[in-house]
Amino acid sequence: NSKNFSDFCIRNIKHADFGRREIEIAEQEMPALMDLRKRAQGDKPLNGARIVGCTHISAQSAVLIETLSALGAKVRWCCCNIYSTQNEVAAALSEAVPCHPTSVLLNSRRYSIFAWKGQEEEDFWWCIEKCITADGWHPNMILDDGGDLTHSIIKKYQTIFRGMKGIVEESVTGVHRWVILFDIVRNQLYFIVKPNIRISKQHTHIYQDNQYSHRLYQLAKTGKLSIPAMNVNDSVTKQKFDNLYSCRESVLDGLKRTTDIMFGGKQVVICGYGEVGKGCCSALKGLGAVSYVTEIDPICALQACMDGIRVVRLHEVVKTADIFITCSGNKNVITRESLDKMKNGAIVCNMGHSNTEIDVTSLKTNDLTWEKVRSQVDHVIWPDGKRIVLLAEGRLLNLSCSTVPSFVLSITHCTQALALIELFNAPEGRYKQDVYLLPKKMDEYVASLHLATFDAHLTELTDDQAKYLGLNKSGPFKPNYYRY
């Protein structure tokens, strides 16, 4: 870059100025995360943290990365999806670009970023290796989105893994002149003024996001999880806001940008009616699409029925539907057998995290022809001339083909940040070698940070009401088993 810093690998460093403007736009829509950064950067609650991260490289995640750095962490970063990197943002992070005068980070730092859009598989794993291994670099926390980074370290670098101080999914943020500590036992949130705090806990943690969390439970059951893990995917603020509200908006954005399709009257099959599926159905229904849902869970299936959506098996509608969207988190949800039966022009895409939901490998055979239409759009052509439209080669549609609302990611990144602070500062012995959910108080706190944006005013319990309900007036207001 312009300062002769070269410990990075991106597409084009000359796009750094453009990327910086993208980050500044994201900052405007992430008020709570920026507020946390402003409050906490004086105390450096992550001082001593050396974080290796593997997430989507977007303007929103850049705000998270720079927040981590502002809180004292050193970072190295790569992408978790070969199509989701915003090249100009990767350039901005790699170049020490001066920030706008109103930015909290008055002097932007430079970061070791290894990511570019359109990587080959070999590039993807090379970037992960570069983040793990570097001269003088000894990571003590992981920030992982999807598990590839964690898997690589467990498989190849057991010494590094055992010596980790924390493994974290995505980024961390903090509060200016406040260190937020969560007492899990008493379920209270404390704000402790410590202007010159230094972090020195010799404690190891994993903090994971998205569908990879189920693998953590498997590791814990078999005794192979040698450090504590935090499951963020099942936190209320992640499930309800990132998974539901974000996907409700971004699924339409991704489909429109890639296909220019009109949704009115189209038959759409959504495979899975979890929070992501609910968001997709809500958006498509609002534009006049006829939606069908496939489900294995009778509770989710009943919810779909009550929402006026017909629950079917895939083979019942595979020949007539126009659009197929997978969002189950499973594998081989749409197989070659189903793809063979689809009509000419059917659109197939994935809104789940993994790229295994659509059996794309089965389409890479000699009898089928691939034709690139535009970026992230392929025609797969059968011998009889039938063709389907495959988006992002079965990878995540919204982050590969469009963008995700910054405000929703502010909620998610705040949750991730506070969880990191909790794990990094937790007394030794608080967390065992197991998988943990976020404390309810943390979820409520993240939600409360965002209410000011809407000029929302919470009603306060009276002492008598709090006593009647058996609650603390400051929360938590719902038990852990409550389903929002």
Side-chain angles (χ1 to χ4, degrees):
N1 67 10
S2 62
K3 307 297 183 183
N4 295 320
F5 176 70
S6 60
D7 187 19
F8 60 89
C9 189
I10 60 167
R11 179 70 72 190
N12 191 339
I13 194 67
K14 294 180 180 179
H15 294 165
D17 286 341
F18 174 37
R20 178 52 53 186
R21 304 293 88 76
E22 292 271 0
I23 295 171
E24 288 172 354
I25 290 174
E27 289 176 347
Q28 300 304 311
E29 269 290 290
M30 305 178 79
L33 186 61
M34 294 299 293
D35 185 43
L36 284 172
R37 180 198 292 181
K38 184 177 180 180
R39 294 188 202 176
Q41 64 180 353
D43 291 331
K44 305 291 187 212
L46 290 174
N47 195 12
R50 297 181 297 277
I51 301 171
V52 54
C54 181
T55 69
H56 302 284
I57 303 295
S58 64
Q60 295 79 19
S61 63
V63 178
L64 182 60
I65 291 170
E66 294 189 331
T67 298
L68 282 171
S69 180
L71 300 185
K74 296 180 179 179
V75 302
R76 294 177 71 85
W77 226 266
C78 59
C79 62
C80 68
N81 184 306
I82 63 176
Y83 293 127
S84 65
T85 297
Q86 291 179 253
N87 288 328
E88 66 277 11
V89 172
L93 290 170
S94 302
E95 174 65 83
V97 181
C99 293
H100 190 274
T102 61
S103 175
V104 176
L105 286 176
L106 293 179
N107 293 301
S108 177
R109 299 167 177 83
R110 55 180 183 243
Y111 305 96
S112 296
I113 305 295
F114 298 86
W116 60 94
K117 188 166 188 171
Q119 291 178 337
E120 300 293 337
E121 289 290 335
E122 183 180 353
D123 301 328
F124 175 79
W125 294 109
W126 178 84
C127 288
I128 287 179
E129 291 285 324
K130 292 293 289 184
C131 282
I132 299 171
T133 58
D135 293 339
W137 172 252
H138 303 285
N140 58 16
M141 299 188 83
I142 293 176
L143 210 164
D144 199 7
D145 188 342
D148 291 320
L149 175 60
T150 301
H151 174 75
S152 293
I153 293 180
I154 292 175
K155 184 177 180 180
K156 298 181 181 180
Y157 303 99
Q158 274 290 329
T159 302
I160 293 178
F161 185 69
R162 287 192 295 267
M164 285 232 161
K165 199 171 187 177
I167 303 182
V168 182
E169 172 93 13
E170 293 198 20
S171 276
V172 134
T173 194
V175 188
H176 180 54
R177 297 192 63 78
W178 301 88
V179 175
I180 301 180
L181 300 176
F182 295 88
D183 186 328
I184 306 301
V185 178
R186 295 168 61 190
N187 212 8
Q188 297 292 325
L189 175 63
Y190 295 94
F191 295 84
I192 305 176
V193 183
K194 293 190 176 181
N196 301 306
I197 188 169
R198 296 281 297 182
I199 306 300
S200 60
K201 308 291 187 299
Q202 300 302 315
H203 200 114
T204 57
H205 311 283
I206 291 181
Y207 168 56
Q208 285 289 355
D209 190 17
N210 70 51
Q211 287 88 343
Y212 183 67
S213 58
H214 76 276
R215 301 183 198 174
L216 294 176
Y217 285 109
Q218 292 171 356
L219 288 172
K221 286 182 179 179
T222 58
K224 296 180 181 179
L225 185 64
S226 59
I227 52 182
M230 186 72 82
N231 171 12
V232 172
N233 187 62
D234 292 328
S235 67
V236 176
T237 43
K238 172 67 169 65
Q239 285 281 343
K240 289 295 179 181
F241 298 95
D242 193 340
N243 292 8
L244 186 131
Y245 298 115
S246 174
C247 293
R248 187 175 68 182
E249 297 195 16
S250 59
V251 65
L252 299 179
D253 189 14
L255 285 168
K256 283 286 190 182
R257 290 196 196 196
T258 51
T259 66
D260 302 315
I261 192 172
M262 184 172 183
F263 295 105
K266 293 295 191 300
Q267 295 186 45
V268 185
V269 179
I270 293 93
C271 300
Y273 201 66
E275 300 298 341
V276 174
K278 289 181 176 69
C280 292
C281 283
S282 174
L284 291 162
K285 186 177 181 180
L287 291 182
V290 179
S291 298
Y292 300 92
V293 162
T294 68
E295 252 301 341
I296 62 169
D297 188 328
I299 296 176
C300 291
L302 183 58
Q303 286 180 311
C305 292
M306 297 299 289
D307 288 336
I309 301 168
R310 186 179 170 194
V311 179
V312 299
R313 292 175 179 167
L314 185 58
H315 70 83
E316 297 172 359
V317 292
V318 70
K319 294 181 180 180
T320 58
D322 301 293
I323 305 172
F324 298 84
I325 304 172
T326 57
C327 44
S328 69
N330 205 341
K331 63 180 291 188
N332 295 333
V333 178
I334 296 181
T335 62
R336 174 62 186 269
E337 181 182 3
S338 297
L339 293 161
D340 285 338
K341 295 177 181 178
M342 291 179 185
K343 70 180 185 180
N344 183 51
I347 298 170
V348 184
C349 63
N350 172 41
M351 280 291 290
H353 178 81
S354 176
N355 64 342
T356 60
E357 300 207 25
I358 303 167
D359 188 8
V360 176
T361 303
S362 69
L363 296 176
K364 296 181 178 180
T365 56
N366 293 330
D367 62 322
L368 301 182
T369 302
W370 283 60
E371 179 181 83
K372 188 175 182 65
V373 180
R374 58 174 69 161
S375 177
Q376 311 303 321
V377 182
D378 291 287
H379 279 162
V380 183
I381 307 171
W382 269 251
D384 63 358
K386 184 197 88 168
R387 62 183 62 196
I388 65 169
V389 181
L390 180 65
L391 304 182
E393 293 189 22
R395 296 179 185 273
L396 192 60
L397 171 69
N398 53 359
L399 280 166
S400 297
C401 303
S402 60
T403 58
V404 175
S406 297
F407 184 82
V408 170
L409 289 181
S410 175
I411 298 172
T412 298
H413 291 339
C414 278
T415 303
Q416 294 160 344
L418 294 176
L420 273 171
I421 294 174
E422 160 63 13
L423 288 174
F424 195 70
N425 291 279
E428 187 170 357
R430 170 176 288 176
Y431 296 104
K432 310 299 180 184
Q433 297 174 359
D434 205 347
V435 183
Y436 295 86
L437 296 175
L438 293 178
K440 180 70 68 174
K441 189 68 178 178
M442 183 186 296
D443 263 329
E444 293 179 350
Y445 180 65
V446 170
S448 69
L449 288 176
H450 291 81
L451 291 177
T453 302
F454 304 100
D455 193 26
H457 306 278
L458 287 173
T459 300
E460 295 184 11
L461 291 172
T462 65
D463 292 337
D464 187 50
Q465 288 174 326
K467 183 179 179 181
Y468 177 77
L469 294 174
L471 298 176
N472 188 310
K473 289 179 66 174
S474 61
F477 300 100
K478 299 289 190 296
N480 289 330
Y481 58 78
Y482 184 81
R483 296 290 178 259
Y484 288 81

